[in-house]
Amino acid sequence: MWSYEYRSNESWRGIPLVHVAFGRWDGGRYRPARARGLIAVGDTAVGVVAVGLIAAGGVAVGPVALGLAAVGLVAVGLASAGVVAAGVVTVGIVAVGVRAVGVIVAHLGAG
């Protein structure tokens, strides 16, 4: 099947400004692609702003998100929101953090 990749010509220290990458089906198996850029969108995305199935970066959005600010089903970050959220300031069904709001809450430290 198909795959898609876009990489902007503009870059900063060899890192593309925008990188979009989605994988392909190969022999009945999905081959995910990695997007790495200041703005990254794809199956696995790493960047200052990252959006993907697995996202890591300054601002991360996706089912699994890890970042300074993270939003996802499972989110870990300084500020995070998700079904399961962990970090300093968290909001979620299950929330673990210094300042946490949720149905099941675990406060860490002197909060």
Side-chain angles (χ1 to χ4, degrees), residues 88 97-100 105-111:
V88 177
V98 175
R99 298 286 185 211
V105 176
H107 292 281
L108 303 176

Side-chain angles (χ1 to χ4, degrees), residues 12-30:
W12 180 73
R13 296 187 180 198
I15 300 169
L17 179 63
V18 177
H19 188 197
V20 178
F22 292 99
R24 69 187 192 297
W25 285 96
D26 184 18
R29 185 171 174 177
Y30 188 73

Side-chain angles (χ1 to χ4, degrees), residues 65-70 74-82 84-92 94-101 105-109:
L66 171 65
L68 296 175
V74 176
V76 178
L78 290 178
S80 59
V84 176
V88 177
V89 178
T90 62
V91 176
V94 177
V96 178
V98 175
R99 298 286 185 211
V101 175
V105 176
H107 292 281
L108 303 176

